[in-house]
Amino acid sequence: MSQNEVHSGTGVGRREGRPDDRDVASGGSAVSGVEIRLEEVSKRYPGQALPAVESVTMTIPAGNTVALVGPSGCGKTTTMKMINRLIEPSSGRITIGGEDAHSLHPDQLRRRIGYAIQQVGLFPHMTVGENVGVVPGLIGWRSGRVADRVDEMLDLVGLDPAEYRDRFPRQLSGGQQQRVGVARALAADPPVLLMDEPFGAVDPITRGNLQDELLRLQAELGKTIVFVTHDFDEAVKLGDRIAVLGPRSTILQYDTPEAILANPADDTVAGFVGAGAKLKQLALLRVRDVELGEVPTARVDEAPEDFRRRLTDGRSQFGLVLDARRRPVRLVSAVELRGVTSLRNAGRPVVDTVSPASTLHDALEAILTDDEGVAVVAKSRGEYAGVVGIDTVMATIRALRAEHEGSADEETPS
Amino acid sequence: MSFWEYVGSRWEQLLVDSYLHTSAVVQTTLVATVIGVLVGVAVYRSPIGSTVATALTSAILTIPSFALLGLLIPVLGLGVRPTVTALVLYALLPIVRNTIVGLSTVDPSVRDAARGIGMSRLGVLTRVELRLAWPAVLAGMRVSTQMLMGIAAIAAYAKGPGLGNLIFSGLQRVGGANAINAAVAGTLGVVLLALLLDAAYVLLGRLTMPRGIR
């Protein structure tokens, strides 16, 4: 994929390439990640009254992306850095794939854990290729294999190996540098990837693209990713699960983005989720997940009078005119059908349709734009599938709230 | 005898002295580089250590070279030993200071990333930090070399090798035959060698500076 490609994701139409069922990480993609467990992990610095991280216990399922979100200075980065022992925990236990992280030499441990950070930290004196090849070199791969792997990784992150392999980091844009950073982190095929606000320093458009690419990569690779961010929207977009952290890294809520949006555990979490939680929730749902409404339909060649009668008999406000291939072409009300000779130009044209893969956020946008307050749903070839109305959207939100009511308290440790 | 006739007649002696002079300066710079970089590596993480190391090496530099050589003679005798010792000590400050500056200006995120992807501490130092600090270290070596060219001439006082012998013997016999010629030849030789070595540093920089940070 070229890095110049324009991504559709404006923050709404995302999660392409991700398994549909977000609770089952293995849905479709191979899981190469392993489970990470933190058991009562704490970090105390000498001379400080309060610990920086206090007794964090959490399980990060294999192949999942878990976003650690929280305000600056809450200890989320410290928590993450204890996983690869860049910071040694004062107490507690961390296991990675069932293996105690403390039983390994830190350097050996880190070579099995990808690490990408906001400032990227590429080695400026090495070429892009040399940067990516560092870890495979460290674990003793032959140079031929390293070279192959470097090209493979650059390709994976959307940089043409022939063009970029021999460049130096300073010759790349911020977004390209971050891609190289991710390629370097993944080069030795580690089961676990730690990312510390990796997209924090790039412009919003590039950030969106990089986020989409990470989702695509993750769908392909199935790593266990621990992603630190202070941007809740980013966490919602990327995380299979989100851990909202408070002071001293205490877990305020650890759940799926849907559950946190539907039912924040407390006021702090609610404050962090911020305004527009319901709208964010809609961005996580697909049109195909809700029951579509039906409106009367007619083929273009039907008599307008017949259709008008059907509409008035059924007390429908409006109906859809479909072409020969059942694609919605016009939207008409009973009144508008009075005195027209053909359905071909009755009412007004259907300009925008949403697909079953569209998010409910997109559907709501269409509903609000439409005069009749409906979003017409069309299948892949443009065939009419049904409509989504404002009632459907509201019912869905209500159902989500009911579903997550109470469940958040049980699932959230401490 | 004119100056050029003098140079023509003492050609071989001048070459030998020039060679010895350069050799002493280059070798002591190298020794000082090894010591200076080791000191820099040892102290750059600690602000106190860095301050102490810089202050100590600056203190050495304030000792008049004539005095230092004279004081070293009772301890180390005459000849090469006091010369090398004094030159190494004087060369330390620029190299130690530049090593500390070079290492401490390495972007912390680069160091963090290097550790984070599993480079050992020694690996980070040799493959990343020292490579990035090299331009600064080289600049320190260059300054030291220039300084030593002059100081090495004084080493003739301790019967050290080099062009200083010409200068000293010339100045001691002022009024005698070829006294001024000897002093001038020695002095010009030092200046000329200093310029040549400086050019060599430019070339060395070109050859050894990583392309990515040039």
Side-chain angles (χ1 to χ4, degrees):
Chain A
M1 177 178 294
S2 144
Q3 76 280 2
N4 298 323
E5 183 167 329
V6 176
H7 292 261
S8 62
T10 52
V12 189
R14 56 267 185 96
R15 292 190 192 282
E16 49 264 70
R18 149 168 302 205
D20 291 329
D21 187 350
R22 307 182 66 238
D23 292 329
V24 184
S26 58
S29 70
V31 172
S32 65
V34 294
E35 184 184 76
I36 304 172
R37 272 172 182 278
L38 283 76
E39 291 166 27
E40 304 197 355
V41 174
S42 297
K43 178 66 189 179
R44 284 175 208 85
Y45 287 104
Q48 285 181 8
L50 290 170
V53 172
E54 192 171 22
S55 194
V56 170
T57 299
M58 71 190 298
T59 301
I60 298 164
N64 268 19
T65 302
V66 168
L68 306 181
V69 274
S72 305
C74 74
K76 52 191 190 298
T77 297
T78 308
T79 305
M80 190 199 78
K81 283 187 169 178
M82 285 195 283
I83 295 174
N84 69 357
R85 290 175 63 196
L86 277 175
I87 295 174
E88 293 283 357
S90 310
S91 62
R93 214 167 89 99
I94 295 175
T95 60
I96 297 167
E99 196 174 10
D100 192 333
H102 212 79
S103 63
L104 284 164
H105 189 279
D107 294 338
Q108 302 295 332
L109 174 75
R110 289 179 203 135
R111 288 169 198 176
R112 293 198 220 158
I113 300 176
Y115 186 63
I117 55 177
Q118 179 177 349
Q119 309 83 349
V120 197
L122 293 180
F123 307 129
H125 59 300
M126 296 186 192
T127 63
V128 165
E130 287 167 344
N131 267 286
V132 175
V134 166
V135 188
L138 284 174
I139 57 178
W141 290 13
R142 286 178 295 102
S143 60
R145 190 177 165 204
V146 173
D148 289 347
R149 183 66 177 171
V150 165
D151 286 3
E152 187 187 337
M153 294 319 294
L154 288 177
D155 213 33
L156 186 73
V157 298
L159 294 173
D160 178 15
E163 191 181 345
Y164 290 97
R165 194 196 301 118
D166 298 320
R167 290 206 191 174
F168 284 97
R170 59 162 187 186
Q171 297 167 314
L172 304 181
S173 72
Q176 289 169 336
Q177 289 188 10
Q178 195 51 265
R179 284 165 198 269
V180 176
V182 172
R184 179 176 67 179
L186 290 171
D189 203 20
V192 172
L193 181 57
L194 305 182
M195 306 184 94
D196 189 358
E197 303 205 20
F199 310 140
V202 292
D203 65 87
I205 293 171
T206 308
R207 188 183 312 145
N209 290 349
L210 289 172
Q211 288 168 343
D212 291 339
E213 295 251 340
L214 182 65
L215 286 173
R216 179 182 61 79
L217 275 181
Q218 174 62 351
E220 215 170 294
L221 302 174
K223 305 284 181 194
T224 304
I225 301 179
V226 180
F227 194 102
V228 166
T229 178
H230 61 255
D231 179 353
F232 191 77
D233 294 337
E234 183 169 67
V236 168
K237 181 168 178 179
L238 297 175
D240 293 302
R241 291 177 144 254
I242 297 176
V244 185
L245 305 179
R248 301 182 303 289
S249 211
T250 46
I251 298 175
L252 302 176
Q253 190 167 9
Y254 179 39
D255 214 324
T256 59
E258 290 86 345
I260 293 176
L261 286 168
N263 193 9
D266 58 26
D267 289 347
T268 319
V269 178
F272 208 78
V273 168
K278 299 299 170 206
L279 286 176
K280 289 171 194 170
Q281 235 175 321
L282 291 178
L284 292 173
L285 288 164
R286 301 287 182 182
V287 169
R288 64 168 160 268
D289 300 333
V290 302
E291 207 169 318
L292 298 182
E294 285 295 336
V295 292
T297 59
R299 288 172 52 112
V300 270
D301 45 11
E302 274 185 58
E305 192 50 33
D306 291 353
F307 192 33
R308 192 182 71 84
R309 209 167 299 128
R310 289 224 311 276
L311 286 179
T312 41
D313 291 353
R315 298 185 186 286
S316 304
Q317 301 276 326
F318 59 91
L320 280 168
V321 180
L322 311 180
D323 70 4
R325 283 157 65 188
R326 289 192 54 74
R327 290 179 301 195
V329 284
R330 300 195 79 83
L331 198 142
V332 290
S333 64
V335 187
E336 285 167 330
L337 282 171
R338 211 165 270 157
V340 275
T341 50
S342 163
L343 284 181
R344 222 171 281 282
N345 42 25
R348 56 197 169 75
V350 175
V351 183
D352 257 344
T353 59
V354 295
S355 80
S358 303
T359 63
L360 277 192
H361 191 281
D362 294 339
L364 181 63
E365 178 80 29
I367 290 168
L368 295 177
T369 319
D370 189 84
D371 291 340
E372 307 291 346
V374 289
V376 178
V377 184
K379 286 184 258 189
S380 53
R381 286 164 196 278
E383 287 161 82
Y384 168 73
V387 293
V388 180
I390 190 76
D391 299 346
T392 318
V393 175
M394 287 177 66
T396 309
I397 292 284
R398 265 196 300 275
L400 268 179
R401 196 161 50 211
E403 186 186 325
H404 293 290
E405 203 93 359
S407 67
D409 305 321
E410 293 153 30
E411 283 178 27
T412 311
S414 71
Chain B
M1 201 185 279
S2 79
F3 176 67
W4 294 114
E5 281 165 354
Y6 172 81
V7 170
S9 67
R10 307 290 164 87
W11 187 239
E12 279 181 20
Q13 180 59 40
L14 283 172
L15 274 184
V16 169
D17 279 343
S18 297
Y19 168 73
L20 289 176
H21 199 96
T22 313
S23 156
V25 168
V26 168
Q27 289 188 54
T28 48
T29 306
L30 289 177
V31 173
T33 303
V34 172
I35 297 172
V37 168
L38 285 177
V39 170
V41 165
V43 303
Y44 82 99
R45 283 168 193 274
S46 129
I48 299 173
S50 302
T51 313
V52 170
T54 312
L56 271 180
T57 47
S58 321
I60 294 173
L61 206 58
T62 60
I63 305 172
S65 45
F66 205 64
L68 183 63
L69 282 162
L71 290 169
L72 284 172
I73 293 171
V75 189
L76 299 170
L78 290 167
V80 172
R81 286 167 70 189
T83 309
V84 168
T85 310
L87 293 185
V88 167
L89 286 174
Y90 283 125
L92 280 179
L93 173 67
I95 295 171
V96 168
R97 184 151 55 187
N98 278 24
T99 305
I100 292 171
V101 169
L103 288 174
S104 56
T105 50
V106 171
D107 186 346
S109 69
V110 170
R111 197 175 289 132
D112 182 38
R115 292 295 286 156
I117 63 173
M119 272 195 191
S120 63
R121 212 164 259 286
L122 189 67
V124 176
L125 186 68
T126 56
R127 293 186 59 187
V128 180
E129 292 176 310
L130 283 176
R131 304 282 175 100
L132 295 175
W134 174 242
V137 174
L138 195 66
M141 290 170 69
R142 193 168 163 184
V143 172
S144 290
T145 302
Q146 296 299 303
M147 214 167 63
L148 292 194
M149 288 307 287
I151 296 175
I154 315 285
Y157 171 69
K159 297 280 176 276
L163 292 165
N165 289 310
L166 280 174
I167 303 172
F168 265 72
S169 66
L171 292 179
Q172 273 163 8
R173 313 178 275 112
V174 172
N178 287 327
I180 297 299
N181 280 342
V184 171
T187 309
L188 281 180
V190 168
V191 172
L192 198 68
L193 286 180
L195 289 174
L196 283 175
L197 273 185
D198 210 42
Y201 268 105
V202 174
L203 194 68
L204 186 66
R206 284 274 164 81
L207 293 176
T208 59
M209 215 87 86
R211 269 208 302 140
I213 56 172
R214 215 184 286 157

